[in-house]
Amino acid sequence: MNEGPYTHQASDSAYHFTAAALRAGHEIVRVFFYHDGVNNGTRLSVPPQDDRNVSERWSELANEHGVELILCVAAAQRRGLLDEDEAKRAGKDSNNMAPGFQISGLGQLIDAGIQADRLVVFGD
Amino acid sequence: MNEGPYTHQASDSAYHFTAAALRAGHEIVRVFFYHDGVNNGTRLSVPPQDDRNVSERWSELANEHGVELILCVAAAQRRGLLDEDEAKRAGKDSNNMAPGFQISGLGQLIDAGIQADRLVVFGD
Amino acid sequence: MSVLHIINKSPYDRSSLDTCLRLAQPDSAILLIEDGIYAVQKNAAAAQKVEQALANHQIYALQPDLEARGINPDNMIDGIALVDYDGFVKLTTDYDKSQSWL
Amino acid sequence: MSVLHIINKSPYDRSSLDTCLRLAQPDSAILLIEDGIYAVQKNAAAAQKVEQALANHQIYALQPDLEARGINPDNMIDGIALVDYDGFVKLTTDYDKSQSWL
Amino acid sequence: MATKKFLYVNRTAPHGSIYAQESLEVVLIAAAFEQDVSLAFIDDGVYQLMQNQDTSGIGSKNFSPTYKALGDYDVSKIYVEQESLELRGLGKDDLMPLTYEDEDDDWAEKDSIHVVSSKELAEIIDQQDVILNF
Amino acid sequence: MATKKFLYVNRTAPHGSIYAQESLEVVLIAAAFEQDVSLAFIDDGVYQLMQNQDTSGIGSKNFSPTYKALGDYDVSKIYVEQESLELRGLGKDDLMPLTYEDEDDDWAEKDSIHVVSSKELAEIIDQQDVILNF
């Protein structure tokens, strides 16, 4: 998942695809957020009331179906997506990561490619 | 300024252009951040040590030259860029806006277009 | 080892459809999603290459993306099949792997 | 009321240069920045339209962007002028307004 | 406050990215500033005006009906490039009818959409003071 | 752990966006997983391999020398599409020389870059297990 929420449809497409895969009984090994995709992991988003909440929707997939949502640490640091630990380590006074997301390394993308039967890329 | 930091060169181009305009003695009426451009306004970015810090560089222009840096409020809310007031109003437990940036409405873009002799758009 | 090629950009703005058609093996399929949908339109500049591609490839288009863009299915090039998100998932399992032409 | 047209995308990936050339008045200028730089290359597929455009337009290229991309100035189409960021600022004042073909 | 000629240039298809939607938000806000506003739809931007857009299947906001409100905001100069339409196999009938009420003509309802050639559009661009691109 | 054939497809020019740089970061990390790795450079992706890139004037990181380290990471199958080069007026001489030491041939230094036709590249794509796009 290579693009952030709202700006490109990629995040919506990936969400609908993931939800459909779960409906069909498939196991989702992991959703890996890279490039601007890490911006999906913010809990500070306040979309208009008549619009979808992209980040919350991902968090719900993690909460309800145990889907692993991983933000690439290097991509997240560049773009200012931090969990509590990362914020402390970097000496930042606040953090912004949404529940259900975890920060990890790029190796998790390769590992997913090895483990999963199929890998689908969504982006710009 | 329509794109976020790092992902597209637009923010770098706009920064170098703005710095050059100041060097030439021009007045910068305003830098207006729209679309993903609002992501330039985060103070949580932790780029690699051998890389530039895009957000800090903008903050310095505000600090040293009094350049007005405005994030569009609607675009910022969607994407999770909040100052202290906005965070409180939305019931969020933290905020992430960098010093020197301000949140305001789209009218500031039109107003800048009216006030300024030239308007230059940077984006994807 | 057949491939599902995924195109998400307009054939009028990006090179991805052209590149896909240049590099897709005859038994591979093409799925049009997001702005890739605009390639389905009949009597348009991109129609001829899409019609030619149908000789070698199954071509699918994602219906929710078609509807969002207001394209009348009657104006779709004959031979393109519509799928929903469930069908999109099924295609990724029907083919050995997918290639998103970002 | 002359216009400075700014192109920041590769002519091989996006339609912006083509559209700009279709809609630019003869007295307007074109500035190539970022990936728009790739339009300067001699003996390339886009070279002919750029050479034709030089008959009607001043064409400028941003030198720091050229250097970043490793393009040898010797391989630049004759007649394109290089500017730095200071020159970019000056161009925006020399022309009445700018139009960024995003 | 001086009146300037503002042109909003739309070259991006809707729904695949947010530029079209956020551009429309700018135009609606801009109306309050009483400037001379024109809109240009070029290349994939012409798709923004397609009839019958229905985003219920992709779950994002369907902002396309908002274009119909432009007339109420005194935005009545909407230029669509003919070459862009033709390349895409589209005609004016494929676009939403957008109208305004002409106060100088006893509030007669008139067409806001002007399909123009590249040559005409080039002249329109040339006449602007401020050009905003999305 | 099974060995799979991974192909990294690069179609984006460097510097204008970060995809090229972040793609390279993936490839370097991937090397630790001892999979069968290939890289394809297609369309504007071929510009990533241009010689003499100097980003000092734009102030961003010059990651282009890192491609030369790929050989040390056992990444030696680098496919560049000939049609993409030709369209852009480029030849192999315009690209950085990328080499690796072949352990099966007494560590002889060999060329990592293979300029291939569309037809050959189509077959290479077809043989992969996992395709990552940037």
Side-chain angles (χ1 to χ4, degrees), chain A residues 6-7 36 39 42-48 51 77-80 82 90 92-96 124, chain B residues 6-7 36 39 42-48 51 77-80 82 90 92-96 124:
Chain A
Y6 302 106
T7 303
D36 270 3
N39 292 326
T42 180
R43 70 168 182 278
L44 301 185
S45 175
V46 188
D51 203 352
Q77 285 179 335
R78 260 189 199 112
R79 292 167 180 82
L82 303 177
K92 298 288 184 184
D93 62 339
S94 74
N95 65 77
N96 56 350
D124 180 24
Chain B
Y6 303 107
T7 304
D36 270 3
N39 290 328
T42 179
R43 69 169 183 279
L44 301 186
S45 174
V46 188
D51 203 352
Q77 285 179 335
R78 259 189 199 114
R79 292 167 180 83
L82 303 177
K92 298 288 183 183
D93 61 340
S94 75
N95 65 78
N96 58 349
D124 179 25

Side-chain angles (χ1 to χ4, degrees), chain A residues 2-3 34-36 74-75 78-79 106-117 119 121 124, chain F residues 1-2 4 6 8 18-23 25-26 29-30 33 35 61 129-134:
Chain A
N2 289 342
E3 295 298 331
Y34 196 42
H35 305 305
D36 270 3
R78 260 189 199 112
R79 292 167 180 82
L106 271 175
Q108 297 292 308
L109 171 58
I110 312 303
D111 174 73
I114 296 168
Q115 277 193 54
D117 295 320
L119 184 148
V121 181
D124 180 24
Chain F
M1 207 154 57
K4 285 190 176 179
F6 276 69
Y8 298 87
I18 203 172
Y19 302 104
Q21 181 183 349
E22 290 191 330
S23 164
E25 290 176 11
V26 173
I29 296 285
F33 286 79
Q35 302 296 304
K61 194 172 154 179
D129 295 312
V130 181
I131 305 172
L132 284 154
N133 313 77
F134 298 98

Side-chain angles (χ1 to χ4, degrees), chain D residues 1-3 5 14-17 19 22-25 27-28 96-102, chain E residues 9 11-12 42-43 81 83-84 118-119 121-123 125-131 133-134:
Chain D
M1 297 295 278
S2 60
V3 181
H5 297 277
R14 301 283 189 101
S15 58
S16 50
L17 179 63
T19 300
R22 191 170 77 234
L23 293 172
Q25 294 281 65
D27 62 341
S28 61
D96 294 330
K97 63 236 168 191
S98 68
Q99 148 87 329
S100 297
W101 288 96
L102 303 183
Chain E
V9 177
R11 292 184 56 247
T12 315
I42 310 172
D43 293 338
E81 193 203 25
E83 284 79 349
S84 297
S118 305
K119 197 170 173 307
L121 186 54
E123 282 162 21
I125 291 171
D126 211 40
Q127 290 155 12
Q128 306 302 315
D129 296 311
V130 181
I131 304 171
N133 313 76
F134 298 97

Side-chain angles (χ1 to χ4, degrees), chain E residues 67-87:
Chain E
Y67 292 99
K68 293 182 183 160
L70 286 171
D72 302 333
Y73 285 83
D74 285 329
V75 176
S76 58
K77 289 183 282 189
I78 299 181
Y79 301 103
V80 178
E81 193 203 25
Q82 180 152 17
E83 284 79 349
S84 297
L85 284 177
E86 284 172 5
L87 196 72

Side-chain angles (χ1 to χ4, degrees), chain A residues 23-93:
Chain A
R23 275 200 303 275
H26 295 296
E27 178 197 351
I28 303 292
V29 171
R30 187 169 294 149
V31 183
F32 190 85
F33 297 83
Y34 196 42
H35 305 305
D36 270 3
V38 298
N39 292 326
N40 285 283
T42 180
R43 70 168 182 278
L44 301 185
S45 175
V46 188
Q49 295 208 319
D50 59 348
D51 203 352
R52 68 218 185 274
N53 190 319
V54 173
S55 299
E56 260 182 36
R57 229 169 33 179
W58 283 115
S59 291
E60 281 165 20
L61 279 193
N63 188 40
E64 291 167 19
H65 300 274
V67 175
E68 200 176 305
L69 308 174
I70 303 288
L71 306 185
C72 166
V73 58
Q77 285 179 335
R78 260 189 199 112
R79 292 167 180 82
L81 259 288
L82 303 177
D83 64 9
E84 216 178 314
D85 287 350
E86 289 288 334
K88 268 186 201 151
R89 200 168 304 144
K92 298 288 184 184
D93 62 339

